[in-house]
Amino acid sequence: MPKKTSDFSRPKGTRDFLPEEMAKRRSVEETMRSVFEDFGYGEVETPVFEHLELITAKSGEEIKAHLYHFKDKSSRDLTLRPELTAPVMRLYLEALTHAPKPVKLYYFGDCFRYEEPQSGRYREFRQAGVELIGSPNPEAEAEVICVAVSALERLGLKDFRVSIGEVGVLRTLLESGGIHKEAHASVMNAIDKGVDVRKTLDGLGMQKDMEELLLTILELRGGKEALHTALELIEKTGIDLGDARAKINRLEETLRLLDVMGFEYSLDLGIARGLDYYTGMVFEIYAEGLGAQKQICGGGTYSLTEILDGEPAPTCGFAFGFDRIILALESQGKLAAPEKERLLVVATGEDMVGEAMRIASIIRRKRGCEVELMRRKLVKALAYANNMGYQRVVIVGGEELAKGCVVLRNMGKGEQKEVRIEDLGGPL
Ligand code: AMP
């Protein structure tokens, strides 16, 4: 046999979704959408591919290793989007800078990253998120966290935790310790990935006392008292640490607003969120039971418009890992497809097929219905309807038709009655 050279299988790291699964995914999407809309956010959609530069501008050239990037036939450098924050901010700069502030946007979209697939980590995955543009205030930050938590609550997800950090303080400490801005990304990345931060810092020649201070602060966890500890530690150094104090006070204000709204969170000053554009509060949400890929949401306050040659615009947003939320809901038994009313129209014989199609069209003016398309005999058609979960069957036969009627069978009760065709649009 000749060697098989073709490969018609699914590419690595991608998935297919069958109808039952799609119904569940759509239902989760609808719930999230309703929460975003309740908070007054408007949906946007951006292209699946963007100029490569849009992504490298904010994340650096190293990101290319994780991108599906390519040249088109006119030699433009393009990439499939790895996330939606940069595309949405590009959209904002192109179309919405003059809109009254705040501009509140949400999105759903598939993203593409060249990563090693594992459970909860794919090469094609879905994100949903919001961006709140134009308000520099803590209430904007508190609202964004509130949107994320409200969506998870409305989905019925249990056992998730919100951790909040502050990257502005970390950056200030790096600067004061003599670490060049260009080197910040590698340190933040090390913090984000949980690799040996001390080793990374040593290699960069950070001032020893500042290094110790940073490493201690990275370990701070807990409630608001952890912020006070951070402040005390910073003050003890006696060094002018620029706006570190202001950043901590600012975060305290955001936390106070979350307290007012009754949200639970814990502070984790070790959250760095790899990307360069975060400037202040950052947060992550984790779901129990997902193993290594438990982070279901990431977000914070960032400044991206300047990087994209626009006017500065304070922005806060988050992205949900949609697929991980599906996995978390599923593991908690909270993922159900919505119940659907199903009605099947069955012809009693081949001569009745046209009539069945005609009656189905009448029914569809008021409600959905399907027609039996396999020409099964009535008994088999009813067994099929039963197996497939149709609640009702409309049986189209000559005798009843002559009286302007059909037989309506309630599959659950096994009861039948004659119904006038014109009444099929009313309550059944
Ligand atoms: P990020 O844009 O990296 O902040 O990711 C936001 C969220 O998307 C994360 O919290 C994850 O839940 C999800 N996510 C990121 N990468 C992947 C991936 N490769 N597969 C599935 N979900 C992902």
Side-chain angles (χ1 to χ4, degrees):
M1 257 203 351
K3 193 165 172 277
K4 198 176 156 219
T5 51
S6 48
D7 183 357
F8 298 128
S9 62
R10 221 174 40 218
K12 186 172 170 180
T14 64
R15 289 151 304 149
D16 295 317
F17 301 107
L18 299 177
E20 203 183 320
E21 212 168 350
M22 279 310 295
K24 293 175 187 168
R25 289 173 70 86
R26 284 281 174 253
S27 152
V28 168
E29 189 164 318
E30 279 319 305
T31 303
M32 285 182 183
R33 181 174 277 113
S34 68
V35 173
F36 300 161
E37 300 261 347
D38 284 354
F39 278 85
Y41 288 69
E43 186 165 12
V44 289
E45 193 167 306
T46 62
V48 165
F49 57 86
E50 294 277 354
H51 286 129
L52 176 61
E53 236 186 316
L54 178 73
I55 307 300
T56 52
K58 72 173 182 66
S59 311
E61 288 290 309
E62 314 84 72
I63 186 93
K64 275 162 81 174
H66 304 288
L67 294 178
Y68 281 89
H69 66 94
F70 54 95
K71 278 196 192 295
D72 73 2
K73 291 188 172 69
S74 302
S75 283
R76 294 180 191 93
D77 281 307
L78 301 172
T79 181
L80 298 184
R81 62 185 175 204
E83 52 103 49
L84 277 116
T85 298
V88 170
M89 293 314 286
R90 175 196 54 66
L91 170 151
Y92 162 76
L93 287 174
E94 286 184 26
L96 290 170
T97 46
H98 297 300
K101 303 291 180 296
V103 174
K104 304 199 288 187
L105 307 174
Y106 77 87
Y107 59 80
F108 288 86
D110 295 326
C111 302
F112 307 85
R113 295 184 192 175
Y114 196 80
E115 308 193 281
E116 231 9 81
Q118 51 180 279
S119 169
R121 181 177 291 277
Y122 314 102
R123 290 185 170 174
E124 181 189 32
F125 61 99
R126 196 159 177 77
Q127 283 193 342
V130 310
E131 312 296 351
L132 171 53
I133 309 162
S135 169
N137 300 319
E139 50 271 38
E141 291 180 346
E143 173 170 300
V144 163
I145 297 175
C146 178
V147 174
V149 173
S150 303
L152 297 176
E153 281 178 351
R154 201 175 294 179
L155 286 166
L157 189 73
K158 300 266 178 269
D159 298 332
F160 64 86
R161 34 187 195 91
V162 182
S163 286
I164 303 179
E166 222 298 338
V167 289
V169 173
L170 306 184
R171 288 187 197 286
T172 302
L173 295 183
L174 288 175
E175 248 161 65
S176 307
I179 304 283
H180 238 258
K181 265 216 161 88
E182 292 78 68
H184 285 194
S186 64
V187 182
M188 298 304 263
N189 238 321
I191 301 172
D192 186 45
K193 299 268 171 314
V195 299
D196 191 344
V197 183
R198 187 183 288 277
K199 216 160 128 196
T200 312
L201 290 173
D202 282 350
L204 295 169
M206 189 170 181
Q207 263 173 40
K208 266 289 155 224
D209 50 346
M210 294 305 289
E211 180 176 322
E212 290 312 319
L213 176 62
L214 177 65
L215 291 170
T216 314
I217 284 185
L218 287 180
E219 293 302 317
L220 290 179
R221 309 269 186 280
K224 279 214 271 315
E225 74 289 348
L227 275 188
H228 298 142
T229 313
L231 262 186
E232 276 167 26
L233 287 168
I234 287 172
E235 250 140 46
K236 254 206 235 151
T237 62
I239 306 169
D240 173 21
L241 288 177
D243 56 2
R245 172 179 254 286
K247 296 227 163 190
I248 290 182
N249 288 338
R250 156 62 188 259
L251 180 60
E252 195 166 8
E253 182 63 8
T254 301
L255 300 184
R256 196 184 60 78
L257 292 170
L258 288 174
D259 292 341
V260 167
M261 292 189 287
F263 285 112
E264 281 181 27
Y265 56 82
S266 62
L267 213 63
D268 179 350
L269 290 173
I271 297 179
R273 306 221 29 81
L275 297 174
D276 247 2
Y277 56 82
Y278 285 101
T279 51
M281 184 279 291
V282 284
F283 73 105
E284 294 181 345
I285 305 182
Y286 315 102
E288 291 313 318
L290 291 190
Q293 310 305 324
K294 62 176 191 267
Q295 193 196 308
I296 54 171
C297 175
T301 295
Y302 63 89
S303 181
L304 195 49
T305 47
E306 298 104 299
I307 302 176
L308 305 179
D309 296 337
E311 292 296 314
T315 311
C316 191
F318 69 79
F320 276 144
F322 187 83
D323 306 274
R324 293 188 191 172
I325 291 176
I326 296 280
L327 288 173
L329 287 168
E330 194 151 43
S331 75
Q332 295 182 10
K334 297 277 167 37
L335 191 62
E339 271 291 310
K340 209 175 133 202
E341 267 291 306
R342 295 188 78 186
L343 178 68
L344 185 67
V345 181
V346 176
T348 49
E350 287 185 18
D351 56 332
M352 287 289 123
V353 168
E355 284 301 318
M357 298 292 268
R358 181 176 73 83
I359 284 161
S361 293
I362 295 171
I363 296 172
R364 285 192 190 110
R365 288 182 204 143
K366 289 283 183 217
R367 56 164 58 88
C369 73
E370 298 162 59
V371 178
E372 205 286 320
L373 298 172
M374 300 303 293
R375 299 202 173 182
R376 289 182 176 89
K377 297 257 179 290
L378 184 58
V379 177
K380 290 230 164 110
L382 290 178
Y384 166 78
N386 202 28
N387 287 340
M388 300 302 287
Y390 290 88
Q391 291 89 352
R392 292 189 176 81
V393 171
V394 168
I395 302 166
V396 182
E399 214 173 286
E400 292 80 18
L401 265 189
K403 296 185 271 176
C405 292
V406 290
V407 171
L408 179 69
R409 184 179 176 91
N410 181 314
M411 297 304 292
K413 295 186 184 149
E415 289 169 2
Q416 297 192 171
K417 60 180 177 187
E418 265 183 30
V419 180
R420 297 198 59 75
I421 293 170
E422 61 264 30
D423 293 340
L424 286 169
L428 294 181

